[in-house]
Amino acid sequence: MQREEKQFEMLMEAVLNRLNDLIHAIGGMIHRLETEYETLNWPTFLDNYALISGHVTGLMKILSSEIGTPLRNLTVLPLMLTQERDEALSQLTDGRVAMFSHDLAPDYLRTKPDPGAETRLATHETKANNLTTEAGIKQVAQYNKVISHVWDILNKAKEEWENESSTRPGIQQTSSMADTQALVAAVGVGNGLAVPVVPNVMIPPAIRQGSPMGTIPPVGAAPMGKIPSGIKTNIKAANQVHPYRPNQS
């Protein structure tokens, strides 16, 4: 038990030292960018970036080595959750975390991926571990064959497109100005449109023009060949007894 505790203390001390070095390196780089942006050259910037990258690599080596194995077997639980601002926590995290509330704790204390993603990852790892060498070689060969086939199709399509582009004289004309003007003239003034043919209709001789029989006398005129008489006659009917008239006695 004492050995595990001592090993855990050594691990935490190494991690904290790497984290402090990383924090100082990032802070120094930010300070230079804010204060020396006029005189800062590219080699100096690359040196600072390489220093930060080295600290991150060292931290990942510590966590991935055997000395970091006990951390995977530990569970971190919050002792107190509150919605109020915690000055000690804010000072400890340089103002990044002001409170340890119910909605922030799961994100900061998450040490494993999502259960669904972890299940899928385990399935893929199991499938990869159970794959034999011969099956792996066959799958790689089949994959290379598919890639080569797709590559040949793309090259062939590229060659056809280049040949078509080189043999094409220019932009093909898709309209004719003469046809456009003819269409406008036909719609506007009827130019070029054929006159519809009216079928022959038999006209009676009485109404043909120029014929002596085609003249229609006006209304009220006397018929031709008769002289109007100047004597007016008034013909009265004889008195007759109406059949429905009552008898007068």
Side-chain angles (χ1 to χ4, degrees):
M1 188 67 180
Q2 294 179 356
R3 181 181 178 183
E4 293 180 357
E5 292 180 356
K6 187 176 181 179
Q7 186 178 4
F8 177 72
E9 291 178 357
M10 293 175 58
L11 174 61
M12 293 302 299
E13 184 178 359
V15 171
L16 289 176
N17 290 333
R18 287 292 182 180
L19 286 176
N20 290 329
D21 294 340
L22 180 60
I23 291 173
H24 290 308
I26 295 175
M29 185 175 182
I30 294 175
H31 178 72
R32 286 193 172 186
L33 290 175
E34 292 178 350
T35 58
E36 302 177 5
Y37 59 91
E38 295 181 355
T39 59
L40 184 64
N41 52 16
W42 186 247
T44 305
F45 179 81
L46 291 179
D47 292 340
N48 285 270
Y49 186 80
L51 181 61
I52 295 174
S53 178
H55 290 317
V56 173
T57 304
L59 180 61
M60 296 302 297
K61 285 183 178 180
I62 294 175
L63 295 177
S64 61
S65 61
E66 295 182 357
I67 193 174
T69 304
L71 291 178
R72 301 177 183 178
N73 301 329
L74 299 178
T75 302
V76 180
L77 298 176
L79 299 179
M80 183 179 63
L81 298 176
T82 178
Q83 296 290 341
E84 298 179 358
R85 180 181 177 86
D86 190 351
E87 296 296 337
L89 181 62
S90 178
Q91 184 178 2
L92 182 64
T93 58
D94 295 334
R96 291 186 297 272
V97 182
M99 64 183 68
F100 209 60
S101 58
H102 298 76
D103 55 343
L104 296 178
D107 295 331
Y108 286 112
L109 299 182
R110 184 181 298 276
T111 57
K112 291 185 178 181
D114 185 74
E118 188 175 5
T119 303
R120 291 193 296 270
L121 180 61
T123 303
H124 291 308
E125 290 179 352
T126 303
K127 185 177 179 180
N129 293 329
N130 295 333
L131 187 65
T132 60
T133 306
E134 296 179 357
I137 294 174
K138 289 182 179 180
Q139 289 184 3
V140 171
Q142 187 177 4
Y143 179 76
N144 292 332
K145 184 178 180 180
V146 172
I147 294 298
S148 300
H149 181 64
V150 174
W151 183 257
D152 294 338
I153 293 176
L154 293 176
N155 288 332
K156 185 178 180 180
K158 180 181 178 182
E159 292 177 358
E160 292 178 356
W161 180 75
E162 290 178 352
N163 294 333
E164 183 179 357
S165 300
S166 60
T167 56
R168 185 181 303 173
I171 301 176
Q172 297 181 358
Q173 187 176 0
T174 58
S175 62
S176 175
M177 186 60 65
D179 294 343
T180 303
Q181 293 178 356
L183 180 61
V184 172
V187 174
V189 298
N191 188 13
L193 298 179
V195 180
V197 179
V198 180
N200 295 328
V201 180
M202 297 299 294
I203 302 175
I207 60 176
R208 291 180 182 175
Q209 295 181 357
S211 175
M213 299 297 293
T215 304
I216 302 175
V219 179
M224 295 181 62
K226 293 184 179 181
I227 300 174
S229 176
I231 302 173
K232 296 182 180 181
T233 58
N234 188 6
I235 302 174
K236 294 183 179 181
N239 293 331
Q240 297 180 0
V241 179
H242 199 276
Y244 298 101
R245 186 176 182 181
N247 296 328
Q248 297 178 358
S249 56

